[in-house]
Short mmCIF file of all heavy atoms in Angstrom, two decimals:
data_model
loop_
_atom_site.label_atom_id
_atom_site.label_comp_id
_atom_site.label_asym_id
_atom_site.label_seq_id
_atom_site.Cartn_x
_atom_site.Cartn_y
_atom_site.Cartn_z
N ALA A 8 -27.00 -59.63 -125.73
CA ALA A 8 -26.34 -60.93 -125.57
C ALA A 8 -25.32 -61.17 -126.68
O ALA A 8 -25.21 -62.27 -127.24
CB ALA A 8 -27.37 -62.05 -125.52
N LEU A 9 -24.55 -60.13 -126.99
CA LEU A 9 -23.51 -60.16 -128.02
C LEU A 9 -24.08 -60.42 -129.41
O LEU A 9 -23.39 -60.96 -130.29
CB LEU A 9 -22.42 -61.20 -127.68
CG LEU A 9 -21.65 -61.00 -126.38
CD1 LEU A 9 -20.63 -62.10 -126.18
CD2 LEU A 9 -20.97 -59.64 -126.34
N GLY A 10 -25.32 -59.99 -129.63
CA GLY A 10 -25.93 -60.21 -130.93
C GLY A 10 -26.14 -58.95 -131.76
O GLY A 10 -26.62 -59.04 -132.89
N PHE A 11 -25.78 -57.79 -131.23
CA PHE A 11 -26.04 -56.53 -131.93
C PHE A 11 -25.16 -56.37 -133.15
O PHE A 11 -25.59 -55.86 -134.20
CB PHE A 11 -25.81 -55.37 -130.97
CG PHE A 11 -26.02 -54.00 -131.58
CD1 PHE A 11 -27.29 -53.55 -131.88
CD2 PHE A 11 -24.94 -53.17 -131.84
CE1 PHE A 11 -27.47 -52.29 -132.44
CE2 PHE A 11 -25.12 -51.91 -132.39
CZ PHE A 11 -26.40 -51.47 -132.70
N SER A 12 -23.90 -56.79 -133.03
CA SER A 12 -22.93 -56.65 -134.13
C SER A 12 -22.25 -57.98 -134.37
O SER A 12 -22.02 -58.75 -133.44
CB SER A 12 -21.87 -55.60 -133.76
OG SER A 12 -20.74 -55.69 -134.64
N GLU A 13 -21.90 -58.26 -135.62
CA GLU A 13 -21.19 -59.50 -135.94
C GLU A 13 -19.80 -59.53 -135.33
O GLU A 13 -19.18 -60.59 -135.22
CB GLU A 13 -21.12 -59.70 -137.45
CG GLU A 13 -20.31 -58.63 -138.19
CD GLU A 13 -20.28 -58.85 -139.68
OE1 GLU A 13 -21.07 -59.68 -140.19
OE2 GLU A 13 -19.47 -58.18 -140.36
N ASP A 14 -19.31 -58.36 -134.92
CA ASP A 14 -17.98 -58.29 -134.31
C ASP A 14 -18.02 -58.52 -132.79
O ASP A 14 -16.96 -58.66 -132.17
CB ASP A 14 -17.34 -56.94 -134.59
CG ASP A 14 -17.03 -56.72 -136.06
OD1 ASP A 14 -16.70 -57.73 -136.74
OD2 ASP A 14 -17.11 -55.58 -136.52
N SER A 15 -19.21 -58.53 -132.21
CA SER A 15 -19.28 -58.59 -130.75
C SER A 15 -18.70 -59.88 -130.19
O SER A 15 -17.94 -59.87 -129.20
CB SER A 15 -20.74 -58.44 -130.29
OG SER A 15 -21.23 -57.15 -130.62
N LEU A 16 -19.05 -61.01 -130.78
CA LEU A 16 -18.55 -62.29 -130.27
C LEU A 16 -17.03 -62.39 -130.32
O LEU A 16 -16.40 -62.71 -129.31
CB LEU A 16 -19.20 -63.45 -131.03
CG LEU A 16 -20.61 -63.84 -130.58
CD1 LEU A 16 -21.29 -64.70 -131.64
CD2 LEU A 16 -20.56 -64.58 -129.26
N PRO A 17 -16.41 -62.15 -131.48
CA PRO A 17 -14.94 -62.26 -131.50
C PRO A 17 -14.26 -61.23 -130.61
O PRO A 17 -13.22 -61.52 -130.01
CB PRO A 17 -14.57 -62.05 -132.97
CG PRO A 17 -15.76 -61.44 -133.62
CD PRO A 17 -16.94 -61.92 -132.85
N VAL A 18 -14.82 -60.02 -130.52
CA VAL A 18 -14.22 -59.02 -129.64
C VAL A 18 -14.30 -59.47 -128.18
O VAL A 18 -13.31 -59.43 -127.44
CB VAL A 18 -14.90 -57.65 -129.82
CG1 VAL A 18 -14.56 -56.70 -128.67
CG2 VAL A 18 -14.48 -57.03 -131.15
N ALA A 19 -15.47 -59.93 -127.76
CA ALA A 19 -15.61 -60.38 -126.37
C ALA A 19 -14.71 -61.57 -126.08
O ALA A 19 -14.08 -61.65 -125.00
CB ALA A 19 -17.07 -60.75 -126.09
N ALA A 20 -14.60 -62.49 -127.04
CA ALA A 20 -13.72 -63.65 -126.85
C ALA A 20 -12.28 -63.19 -126.71
O ALA A 20 -11.53 -63.72 -125.87
CB ALA A 20 -13.86 -64.61 -128.02
N GLY A 21 -11.88 -62.22 -127.50
CA GLY A 21 -10.50 -61.73 -127.43
C GLY A 21 -10.18 -60.98 -126.15
O GLY A 21 -9.07 -61.05 -125.63
N LEU A 22 -11.18 -60.28 -125.62
CA LEU A 22 -10.95 -59.50 -124.39
C LEU A 22 -10.85 -60.40 -123.17
O LEU A 22 -10.14 -60.07 -122.20
CB LEU A 22 -12.08 -58.50 -124.20
CG LEU A 22 -12.15 -57.36 -125.22
CD1 LEU A 22 -13.40 -56.52 -124.99
CD2 LEU A 22 -10.90 -56.48 -125.15
N GLY A 23 -11.55 -61.51 -123.18
CA GLY A 23 -11.47 -62.44 -122.06
C GLY A 23 -12.10 -61.94 -120.77
O GLY A 23 -11.76 -62.42 -119.69
N LEU A 24 -13.03 -61.00 -120.87
CA LEU A 24 -13.72 -60.49 -119.69
C LEU A 24 -15.04 -61.24 -119.47
O LEU A 24 -15.62 -61.77 -120.41
CB LEU A 24 -14.05 -58.99 -119.88
CG LEU A 24 -12.88 -58.03 -120.01
CD1 LEU A 24 -13.40 -56.61 -120.21
CD2 LEU A 24 -11.97 -58.11 -118.81
N PRO A 25 -15.55 -61.27 -118.22
CA PRO A 25 -16.88 -61.80 -118.00
C PRO A 25 -17.92 -61.02 -118.81
O PRO A 25 -17.78 -59.81 -119.01
CB PRO A 25 -17.10 -61.60 -116.50
CG PRO A 25 -15.72 -61.48 -115.93
CD PRO A 25 -14.91 -60.82 -116.98
N VAL A 26 -18.94 -61.73 -119.28
CA VAL A 26 -19.97 -61.13 -120.12
C VAL A 26 -21.35 -61.48 -119.56
O VAL A 26 -21.66 -62.64 -119.31
CB VAL A 26 -19.90 -61.61 -121.57
CG1 VAL A 26 -20.97 -60.93 -122.43
CG2 VAL A 26 -18.52 -61.37 -122.16
N VAL A 27 -22.19 -60.47 -119.39
CA VAL A 27 -23.58 -60.67 -119.02
C VAL A 27 -24.40 -60.75 -120.31
O VAL A 27 -24.39 -59.80 -121.11
CB VAL A 27 -24.13 -59.54 -118.14
CG1 VAL A 27 -25.59 -59.79 -117.80
CG2 VAL A 27 -23.30 -59.38 -116.86
N LEU A 28 -25.07 -61.88 -120.51
CA LEU A 28 -25.91 -62.10 -121.68
C LEU A 28 -27.36 -61.89 -121.27
O LEU A 28 -27.89 -62.66 -120.47
CB LEU A 28 -25.74 -63.52 -122.21
CG LEU A 28 -24.33 -63.99 -122.54
CD1 LEU A 28 -24.33 -65.48 -122.85
CD2 LEU A 28 -23.76 -63.19 -123.71
N MET A 29 -27.98 -60.85 -121.80
CA MET A 29 -29.36 -60.57 -121.44
C MET A 29 -30.31 -60.98 -122.54
O MET A 29 -30.00 -60.81 -123.73
CB MET A 29 -29.56 -59.08 -121.12
CG MET A 29 -30.86 -58.79 -120.38
SD MET A 29 -31.36 -57.05 -120.47
CE MET A 29 -32.02 -57.01 -122.15
N HIS A 30 -31.47 -61.51 -122.16
CA HIS A 30 -32.50 -61.85 -123.14
C HIS A 30 -33.35 -60.63 -123.44
O HIS A 30 -33.78 -59.90 -122.54
CB HIS A 30 -33.41 -62.95 -122.61
CG HIS A 30 -34.52 -63.29 -123.57
ND1 HIS A 30 -35.71 -62.58 -123.59
CD2 HIS A 30 -34.61 -64.22 -124.55
CE1 HIS A 30 -36.49 -63.08 -124.55
NE2 HIS A 30 -35.85 -64.07 -125.13
N ALA A 31 -33.59 -60.39 -124.73
CA ALA A 31 -34.52 -59.35 -125.15
C ALA A 31 -35.24 -59.84 -126.40
O ALA A 31 -34.61 -60.44 -127.28
CB ALA A 31 -33.79 -58.04 -125.44
N GLN A 32 -36.53 -59.60 -126.47
CA GLN A 32 -37.29 -59.90 -127.68
C GLN A 32 -37.42 -58.61 -128.46
O GLN A 32 -38.06 -57.67 -128.00
CB GLN A 32 -38.66 -60.47 -127.33
CG GLN A 32 -39.43 -60.99 -128.55
CD GLN A 32 -40.80 -61.52 -128.18
OE1 GLN A 32 -41.79 -60.78 -128.17
NE2 GLN A 32 -40.89 -62.80 -127.85
N GLY A 33 -36.79 -58.56 -129.62
CA GLY A 33 -36.81 -57.33 -130.41
C GLY A 33 -35.71 -56.38 -129.99
O GLY A 33 -34.77 -56.73 -129.28
N THR A 34 -35.83 -55.13 -130.43
CA THR A 34 -34.85 -54.08 -130.11
C THR A 34 -35.54 -53.07 -129.21
O THR A 34 -36.76 -53.07 -129.07
CB THR A 34 -34.40 -53.38 -131.41
OG1 THR A 34 -35.53 -52.69 -132.00
CG2 THR A 34 -33.85 -54.38 -132.42
N PRO A 35 -34.76 -52.17 -128.58
CA PRO A 35 -35.41 -51.15 -127.74
C PRO A 35 -36.50 -50.37 -128.46
O PRO A 35 -37.51 -50.00 -127.85
CB PRO A 35 -34.23 -50.24 -127.34
CG PRO A 35 -33.05 -51.17 -127.32
CD PRO A 35 -33.28 -52.12 -128.47
N GLU A 36 -36.32 -50.14 -129.77
CA GLU A 36 -37.32 -49.40 -130.52
C GLU A 36 -38.65 -50.16 -130.63
O GLU A 36 -39.72 -49.56 -130.71
CB GLU A 36 -36.81 -49.06 -131.93
CG GLU A 36 -35.63 -48.10 -131.96
CD GLU A 36 -34.28 -48.80 -131.94
OE1 GLU A 36 -34.19 -49.92 -131.39
OE2 GLU A 36 -33.33 -48.22 -132.47
N THR A 37 -38.59 -51.50 -130.68
CA THR A 37 -39.77 -52.29 -131.02
C THR A 37 -40.21 -53.28 -129.93
O THR A 37 -41.29 -53.86 -130.04
CB THR A 37 -39.50 -53.13 -132.29
OG1 THR A 37 -38.44 -54.08 -132.03
CG2 THR A 37 -39.07 -52.23 -133.45
N MET A 38 -39.42 -53.46 -128.89
CA MET A 38 -39.59 -54.61 -128.01
C MET A 38 -40.92 -54.63 -127.24
O MET A 38 -41.37 -55.69 -126.82
CB MET A 38 -38.43 -54.71 -127.02
CG MET A 38 -38.28 -53.55 -126.08
SD MET A 38 -36.72 -53.70 -125.16
CE MET A 38 -36.83 -52.23 -124.10
N GLN A 39 -41.53 -53.48 -127.02
CA GLN A 39 -42.77 -53.47 -126.25
C GLN A 39 -44.03 -53.41 -127.12
O GLN A 39 -45.13 -53.16 -126.64
CB GLN A 39 -42.77 -52.31 -125.26
CG GLN A 39 -41.75 -52.47 -124.14
CD GLN A 39 -41.85 -53.81 -123.42
OE1 GLN A 39 -40.96 -54.63 -123.50
NE2 GLN A 39 -42.95 -54.02 -122.70
N ILE A 40 -43.84 -53.69 -128.42
CA ILE A 40 -44.99 -53.72 -129.32
C ILE A 40 -45.54 -55.15 -129.34
O ILE A 40 -45.07 -56.02 -130.08
CB ILE A 40 -44.61 -53.27 -130.75
CG1 ILE A 40 -44.02 -51.86 -130.71
CG2 ILE A 40 -45.82 -53.33 -131.68
CD1 ILE A 40 -43.49 -51.38 -132.06
N GLU A 41 -46.50 -55.43 -128.46
CA GLU A 41 -47.19 -56.71 -128.37
C GLU A 41 -46.23 -57.91 -128.32
O GLU A 41 -46.29 -58.81 -129.18
CB GLU A 41 -48.16 -56.87 -129.54
CG GLU A 41 -49.24 -55.80 -129.57
CD GLU A 41 -50.26 -56.01 -130.68
OE1 GLU A 41 -50.13 -57.02 -131.41
OE2 GLU A 41 -51.16 -55.18 -130.81
N PRO A 42 -45.34 -57.96 -127.33
CA PRO A 42 -44.48 -59.15 -127.20
C PRO A 42 -45.29 -60.39 -126.88
O PRO A 42 -46.23 -60.35 -126.08
CB PRO A 42 -43.55 -58.78 -126.04
CG PRO A 42 -44.30 -57.76 -125.25
CD PRO A 42 -45.12 -56.99 -126.24
N THR A 43 -44.93 -61.52 -127.52
CA THR A 43 -45.66 -62.76 -127.31
C THR A 43 -44.68 -63.92 -127.11
O THR A 43 -43.58 -63.91 -127.65
CB THR A 43 -46.58 -63.09 -128.49
OG1 THR A 43 -45.78 -63.18 -129.69
CG2 THR A 43 -47.65 -62.03 -128.67
N TYR A 44 -45.13 -64.91 -126.33
CA TYR A 44 -44.35 -66.11 -126.07
C TYR A 44 -45.30 -67.29 -126.00
O TYR A 44 -46.47 -67.14 -125.63
CB TYR A 44 -43.60 -66.01 -124.73
CG TYR A 44 -42.57 -64.89 -124.67
CD1 TYR A 44 -42.96 -63.60 -124.29
CD2 TYR A 44 -41.25 -65.10 -125.01
CE1 TYR A 44 -42.03 -62.56 -124.24
CE2 TYR A 44 -40.32 -64.09 -124.96
CZ TYR A 44 -40.71 -62.83 -124.58
OH TYR A 44 -39.80 -61.80 -124.52
N ASP A 45 -44.80 -68.48 -126.31
CA ASP A 45 -45.58 -69.69 -126.04
C ASP A 45 -45.62 -69.94 -124.54
O ASP A 45 -46.68 -70.21 -123.97
CB ASP A 45 -44.97 -70.89 -126.77
CG ASP A 45 -45.11 -70.78 -128.27
OD1 ASP A 45 -46.10 -70.16 -128.73
OD2 ASP A 45 -44.24 -71.30 -128.99
#
């Protein structure tokens, strides 16, 4: 969701293309280690 790099937001804004923002808890390396939610 444009959160991986600090440059992602300004780059996407400058390109002016549609952006799919996906929700993920953690990173691919860690995301399935006991994910929890309220």
Side-chain angles (χ1 to χ4, degrees):
L9 299 179
F11 179 72
S12 166
E13 64 182 12
D14 293 327
S15 295
L16 279 164
V18 165
L22 292 174
L24 296 179
V26 182
V27 179
L28 305 172
M29 196 198 77
H30 177 275
Q32 188 181 90
T34 66
E36 294 92 332
T37 64
M38 62 189 182
Q39 291 308 113
I40 302 174
E41 299 184 2
T43 58
Y44 297 87
D45 292 330

